[in-house]
Amino acid sequence: MSSGPSSVSSPRPSPAPEPLANPAFVLATASATCALIVLDTNVVAVSLPSIARSFHASFADVEWVVSAYMVAFAVCLLPAGALADRVGRKKMLLLGLAVFFGASLGCGLAPSAAVLNIARAVKGLGAAMLLTAALAVIANSFHEGPARMRAWAVWGACMGVATTLAPLVGGVITQWLGWRWIFLLNLPVCAVLAWCACQALLESRNPKPGPLDVAGSLLFGLALALGIWALVEVPADGLGSWATGARLITCVLLFGAFVQLQRARAHAMVDLALFRQPRFVAAVLAMFGYAACAQVMMTFLPLYLQNAFGLSAVAAGVGMLPFALAMVVGPYIGAALAKRIPAMSLLSAGLLLIALGNLLTAWMASGQRYAWVALGMIVTGLGAGILNGDTQKAIMACVPPERTGMASGISTTTRFTAIVTSVGVLGAVLAARTHAAFLASTPLTPGVKAALDAGFMSGVLAGDTERATADLSPVVRSTLAAAAHRSFADGFAAALCVAAGVAAAAAAGVWLLAGKAERVRVSEAA
């Protein structure tokens, strides 16, 4: 989740704060708060098979562990930024820590998958409050010049370290302490951060905050949640079922109502006029492609490594390091290339790298040779690293200073909306292809046919093959387990091919929009 500085609070200037007693303490507190969100966003993926085994959860339940958090996060970012301007950034950060603390406790003690997913949604709300407040604190405390540059550099380094360590931390905690401690260990961290915030931060707020768009937030949130619900339930309900159709139609209607509301409002949550600028649309498209086709791998790679290779949680965390380390190196390559090629060309190149990396990983996924899969991860990670900061910079470069808050909110909301949408779409592809590959490769003896009930494949997809085959004879169990590993690898490869196609299409779209923007600029100059 690491990216360039992006505050989603109102762009109107705040009064200059009082001199800080210890600016380093302020920066450390705000950066650590953002790092906590990055860890929590990425660390959970490694524990998904363990959660599935603990609750005997379906694949849809496992998807909702990620999606419930992401939907709430994406929906609440813009209103949380506006609210922080009203009530104060310090107060919002402390309130966010309280919500995050309570939701983490609920996750750690959850008696069922349904309760866990509800707590995860509440946690997404807390994370949105924390991110908007922490970024606003940094922006308000370090105004300009070298101090501001150093502050954002330190913040970016913290995000990079958190992103790199998240899979390994998740694997170690899951295997040695149990998945519940992924959430329970947040409690002392939240307490320490709350104490630091009370000691270090001065209160700041916008004296002329913009209006809260409650109706717009509700419409966008309901539309997104219904769309993800439809996608997540496709493996169970079917793409052509009335339930899926009703959810998708309602999603489209609600989103249309949201757009109409934004067009009618004098002070809209989203200024739709920005989307008439080809360069802005290209930058947002690049952000969507990056998040949907690269960042989403933080969810699916741990499932693949554990289900297809049979790795432990710790080994899966270590196995993801090539991807995470490449994401850290990528921005430096992007910075060097930015001196030689135009910004939009760099975005297209990053998306093409992601497409190439996904195709390479897909090509090697079924062969189950980790070294070649790791090479594909590195290529994807390099493309993701190039785009990680440059997408944000490209979006911010397209708008005047007074609109940077709104543009940053659009950018961050696009990122998480893309991730959660991609989890639903790629999850449906993964499920369908895994099921088809399993049926095609498994000898349908009477014992095997009897085992293939409705919950079997869902358990396999969720990483709970052991439970799915627990009541079978040793011979049938061994046959089905081997077939399940191969089939999941085939399903993962199919999902990666779809992601590669989307990334390539996004690269072409960015290229074409950039060309259109250049033609408009030339004609206006003439």
Side-chain angles (χ1 to χ4, degrees):
M1 197 189 82
S2 62
S3 71
S6 61
S7 169
V8 295
S9 55
S10 171
R12 295 187 178 92
S14 299
E18 302 171 25
L20 301 179
N22 192 338
F25 194 13
V26 173
L27 180 58
T29 300
S31 296
T33 300
C34 293
L36 172 64
I37 300 169
V38 172
L39 280 170
D40 189 78
T41 301
N42 295 326
V43 80
V44 173
V46 182
S47 70
L48 292 178
S50 295
I51 293 172
R53 290 190 289 270
S54 178
F55 291 132
H56 302 318
S58 68
F59 183 54
D61 291 330
V62 168
E63 284 186 286
W64 274 116
V65 174
V66 176
S67 297
Y69 177 88
M70 291 292 187
V71 168
F73 202 163
V75 168
C76 295
L77 277 167
L78 286 170
L83 193 60
D85 282 345
R86 288 173 174 269
V87 304
R89 288 76 181 247
K90 177 179 179 179
K91 188 178 295 182
M92 179 62 83
L93 192 145
L94 291 172
L95 181 59
L97 284 170
V99 172
F100 202 85
F101 181 99
S104 295
L105 181 61
C107 291
L109 301 179
S112 66
V115 174
L116 172 62
N117 290 334
I118 292 171
R120 285 282 290 168
V122 176
K123 202 173 189 183
L125 167 63
M129 298 166 68
L130 286 177
L131 181 65
T132 53
L135 290 174
V137 164
I138 295 175
N140 191 67
S141 302
F142 302 90
H143 287 284
E144 56 188 29
R148 187 181 183 88
M149 296 290 290
R150 284 194 298 269
W152 287 122
V154 170
W155 177 85
C158 290
M159 300 305 99
V161 170
T163 301
T164 305
L165 294 180
L168 184 57
V169 170
V172 168
I173 294 174
T174 299
Q175 187 165 327
W176 294 348
L177 298 177
W179 67 263
R180 294 182 183 275
W181 285 97
I182 282 179
F183 305 110
L184 294 176
L185 287 176
N186 285 336
L187 305 184
V189 176
C190 287
V192 170
L193 287 174
W195 179 86
C196 291
C198 289
Q199 299 298 314
L201 305 186
L202 298 173
E203 188 58 278
S204 65
R205 58 174 55 85
N206 192 334
K208 297 179 180 179
L212 291 176
D213 190 354
V214 177
S217 299
L218 287 175
L219 286 172
F220 180 75
L222 288 173
L224 182 60
L226 278 169
I228 299 308
W229 186 16
L231 293 171
V232 167
E233 295 297 336
V234 161
D237 296 338
L239 185 60
S241 69
W242 70 267
T244 300
R247 291 165 192 153
L248 289 175
I249 291 171
T250 308
C251 166
V252 171
L253 292 175
L254 288 172
F255 187 73
F258 167 75
V259 171
Q260 290 301 318
L261 181 66
Q262 298 306 294
R263 292 178 64 183
R265 285 192 181 276
H267 301 283
M269 182 170 68
V270 176
D271 184 357
L272 298 179
L274 291 173
F275 289 90
R276 290 198 287 267
Q277 302 179 28
R279 284 182 63 85
F280 183 80
V281 176
V284 171
L285 178 60
M287 173 66 82
F288 187 94
Y290 151 62
C293 305
Q295 275 204 299
V296 74
M297 288 300 108
M298 298 296 284
T299 298
F300 287 113
L301 277 173
L303 281 172
Y304 166 70
L305 293 174
Q306 292 180 71
N307 286 357
F309 286 96
L311 299 181
S312 66
V314 171
V318 174
M320 287 185 66
L321 284 178
F323 178 81
L325 290 172
M327 277 197 70
V328 175
V329 174
Y332 296 97
I333 297 176
L337 290 175
K339 300 174 182 178
R340 295 173 173 82
I341 62 177
M344 290 298 165
S345 298
L346 182 60
L347 296 185
S348 292
L351 287 166
L352 288 176
L353 266 180
I354 289 172
L356 177 62
N358 281 339
L359 283 177
L360 181 58
T361 307
W363 185 29
M364 296 300 173
S366 298
Q368 298 184 31
R369 292 186 176 183
Y370 173 76
W372 289 106
V373 171
L375 178 60
M377 289 186 207
I378 291 172
V379 176
T380 304
L382 288 174
I386 290 171
L387 290 168
N388 194 24
D390 283 289
T391 46
Q392 181 72 24
K393 293 175 187 175
I395 290 172
M396 303 307 286
C398 294
V399 298
E402 65 272 13
R403 290 187 174 182
T404 54
M406 179 184 296
S408 183
I410 292 171
S411 168
T412 312
T413 304
T414 298
R415 179 193 297 261
F416 288 102
T417 300
I419 293 173
V420 73
T421 302
S422 187
V423 167
V425 172
L426 297 185
V429 173
L430 170 64
R433 177 56 189 162
T434 300
H435 188 258
F438 183 85
L439 293 178
S441 64
T442 307
L444 295 180
T445 63
V448 171
K449 286 183 179 180
L452 297 180
D453 59 15
F456 174 80
M457 189 53 61
S458 183
V460 169
L461 289 165
D464 197 6
T465 306
E466 183 177 345
R467 176 186 65 85
T469 59
D471 299 329
L472 306 177
S473 68
V475 174
V476 174
R477 184 187 308 128
S478 176
T479 299
L480 291 183
H485 288 317
R486 292 193 302 270
S487 301
F488 192 94
D490 286 344
F492 180 69
L496 284 177
C497 287
V498 172
V502 173
V510 170
W511 182 270
L512 293 173
L513 286 165
K516 181 179 179 181
E518 181 62 21
R519 289 192 296 272
V520 170
R521 187 189 67 81
V522 170
S523 63
E524 289 178 348

